[in-house]
Amino acid sequence: MAHATREGWLLELTARLRPMFAAQGAELPAKIRVSCSWPGGGSARTRVGEAWSAKCSADGAHETFISPAMGDVAEVAHILVHELVHHAVGIECGHKGKFRSLATALGLTGKMTATVATPELAATLLEMTDAVGPYPHSTLTPGEGRKKQTTRMMKLECSTCGCIARMTRTWPIDVGPPTCGCGGEMFMEGENV
């Protein structure tokens, strides 16, 4: 069955993974959302997945984000397993204790903050993803095709009162430096007064 959306594909794969978790004595929460979106947390361009606690969601759903930079079905599937482990054991566990135990039992190996699938798990996931159908997504490369920022704001400081302001570099030099509200001249930060 071909899915029209990435979320539909990810949710079907989540449903197919539930028995695998149950076999390890780890029930996945009933209300899980999975999206293809930039994970947050300050490093959205480097994180490949992220699980959010139901406490963060207004309707109590467990939220999972898979980076749109990930297009390889095998990687997406194993990242989803990693994030679902967080939901099964509780986000507060981090990558230690119960997380490590369940992750390794399911077939995740390596550094727990950046797991990889064992060959056995990879084979299982391949069977599942084949049954789910093609992942309706094309890899999104951060920064490609985006216009680069060319304008930088200068930080100015008043020589009299120390007030700080920002402005572009297009101020006409023949006009002289800008004036602060107190009457003092504004200079670029670090410039000798």
Side-chain angles (χ1 to χ4, degrees):
M1 174 188 159
H3 285 275
T5 66
R6 298 173 289 203
E7 286 72 17
W9 190 92
L10 290 163
L11 285 171
E12 183 177 338
L13 183 56
T14 300
R16 289 175 182 267
L17 289 166
R18 284 182 181 278
M20 200 168 85
F21 279 78
Q24 296 300 325
E27 294 294 326
L28 286 173
K31 197 171 189 177
I32 294 178
R33 285 196 193 100
V34 187
S35 298
C36 177
S37 176
W38 296 116
S43 58
R45 300 301 187 259
T46 57
R47 286 191 185 186
V48 294
E50 194 167 66
W52 284 67
S53 169
K55 295 173 188 172
C56 299
S57 177
D59 68 352
H62 295 260
E63 303 277 353
T64 303
F65 301 98
I66 306 294
S67 171
M70 306 279 70
D72 179 75
V73 174
E75 284 183 326
V76 169
H78 115 262
I79 291 165
L80 180 58
V81 171
H82 177 108
E83 301 311 329
L84 292 175
V85 172
H86 283 297
H87 292 306
V89 300
I91 305 295
E92 64 280 353
C93 288
H95 292 98
K96 297 179 180 176
K98 287 196 249 179
F99 178 91
R100 175 181 286 282
S101 296
L102 180 57
T104 55
L106 290 169
L108 294 175
T109 188
K111 186 177 175 187
M112 287 294 113
T113 56
T115 57
V116 294
T118 61
E120 297 80 18
L121 176 60
T124 301
L125 293 175
L126 180 61
E127 288 176 21
M128 285 184 186
T129 56
D130 282 349
V132 175
Y135 183 42
H137 173 71
S138 293
T139 303
L140 183 61
T141 305
E144 287 297 314
R146 294 181 68 191
K147 184 179 174 185
K148 290 188 177 182
Q149 181 180 354
T150 57
T151 305
R152 291 278 179 201
M153 301 298 281
M154 296 186 318
K155 185 174 179 181
L156 302 172
E157 188 173 342
C158 175
S159 59
T160 306
C161 71
C163 179
I164 294 175
R166 296 191 184 275
M167 66 180 285
T168 66
R169 294 186 184 274
T170 59
W171 183 267
I173 194 139
D174 58 337
V175 173
T179 306
C180 178
C182 75
E185 287 186 352
M186 302 288 285
F187 290 93
M188 201 166 15
E189 187 179 50
E191 196 175 273
N192 291 334
V193 197

